[in-house]
Each structure stands twice: as structure tokens, then as C-alpha cells.
Amino acid sequence: MSQVLGQRRSITTQRLSLLPPGLEHLPDLIRLKADEAVFGYMLHGTRTPERTREELEDDIDFWQVRGYGTWSVFLRETGEFLGIAGLMERPDGRGIAVRFALWPECRGKGYAREAARAALEFGHAVGLPRIIGVARETNLASRAVLSDCGMRECGEFQHRGHRMVVFESLAKD
């Protein structure tokens, strides 16, 4: 179970610290979002440093307006930057989606599951009744993370020649 801290923005889990994005995270985000092994699967692919800065500014603004958003994820024990996780409004109108993108060396350790679960709990706690997740049909690791977080498949669509699987998490009454 995650613990929501302070003004309900930062989250700590057993192993992770999830912090709302700040300008101090920009160097780590530039490296992460330029890495094909990390962002090649994300909507719109890898980013330039300029685009990453714009997205960071948008993420900071999104938090101010919505009270939720994307977190920078750190290993609590060492403070090492692992990637990002959080909630975003999909530009295709499908709704608020959980997202996660961690360094390849983080795979297989359960960090994405831990961060995604914390994001889902946070989202439902702040009043989001439905949160979706989207993964390429061939991205079995991301699909497993979404399933393991309690999300269920609820649809599919085609995007740039790829079959995308949609998952959903509904708030419990």
C-alpha cells in the first residue's frame, strides 16, 4: 500500500519515491525520453531535449490544474532516478491513462508495477472513476504490468500499424 505525503502530491511505496516533476529533473528526463529502448514504445516516440523541456513545463502546469499527473520515480534506498510513472490525459480522447517508462535495467524488478499501482490508487483517491492503460499487443511486459495492477482488458484500436490493447481500472464504490 502506498502512502500519500504532504499535499497529496508525493508518494512513497515500499521501494520507491514518486515526486511531481520539477525543473531539477530535466537532465534525467532528457536522457530518459531520448532513449529508444525506453520511449520508442511511448505515444509519439522519443523526444528531443527541447520537446522534453516543453513536456516538463506542461506536466508541471497539468499538476497545478488537475491535482495529479506524472511523477519522476526514484529508488528510495539510493535516490537513483528510475524513470517516470503517472496519469495523463490521452490526446486521442480515450480518457485519463496510467503510464510508466523506466530504464531497461529496471525491468523484471517490479518497479513499474509498484509505481503504476501507486498511480492508480492516487488517481482513484482524488476522484477519477475510470483510468485506462494502453499497450501495444506485442509489448507483453507492459500488458503484464497493467494486468498485475488489477486492470482488465476492455478494448483495442489500431495505431500506426500496431494493434493497441486498452485496459481499465474502475474506482471501487
Side-chain angles (χ1 to χ4, degrees):
M1 181 63 80
S2 63
Q3 177 185 6
V4 179
L5 299 177
Q7 300 169 328
R8 298 186 51 83
R9 295 181 50 141
S10 296
I11 299 173
T12 57
T13 66
Q14 182 178 354
R15 299 178 298 166
L16 306 175
S17 293
L18 285 72
L19 304 176
L23 292 177
E24 67 276 15
H25 302 154
L26 184 60
D28 288 325
L29 293 169
I30 287 172
R31 287 186 309 111
L32 183 80
K33 291 185 174 192
D35 191 312
E36 183 67 33
V38 179
F39 258 71
Y41 285 101
M42 299 298 280
L43 189 63
H44 308 303
T46 58
R47 277 47 165 193
T48 64
E50 296 78 22
R51 182 67 190 133
T52 299
R53 176 181 277 283
E54 291 170 4
E55 287 183 352
L56 175 58
E57 292 168 357
D58 290 345
D59 287 344
I60 292 169
D61 290 344
F62 193 87
W63 266 103
Q64 293 300 318
V65 172
R66 300 286 186 97
Y68 58 87
T70 299
W71 290 269
S72 293
V73 179
F74 299 89
L75 190 59
R76 284 180 62 187
E77 187 175 311
T78 64
E80 176 187 359
F81 176 77
L82 302 181
I84 62 169
L87 304 166
M88 62 164 284
E89 187 166 355
R90 285 191 54 91
D92 59 14
R94 285 184 165 74
I96 302 299
V98 65
R99 68 189 302 220
F100 45 89
L102 305 176
W103 292 116
E105 57 269 22
C106 295
R107 294 180 184 150
K109 298 179 181 177
Y111 297 143
R113 283 172 182 79
E114 197 169 321
R117 275 191 194 110
L120 287 171
E121 287 176 14
F122 185 99
H124 289 313
V126 298
L128 298 174
R130 179 177 186 260
I131 301 169
I132 66 167
V134 177
R136 282 187 191 173
E137 178 181 38
T138 56
N139 189 342
L140 300 180
S142 288
R143 291 177 63 189
V145 167
L146 296 171
S147 292
D148 290 351
C149 288
M151 299 183 85
R152 65 172 189 85
E153 288 188 32
C154 67
E156 62 181 70
F157 63 96
Q158 292 291 317
H159 179 69
R160 297 186 180 176
H162 298 280
R163 180 176 171 259
M164 308 301 288
V165 181
V166 181
F167 292 77
E168 72 178 353
S169 172
L170 301 175
K172 294 168 181 57
D173 293 330

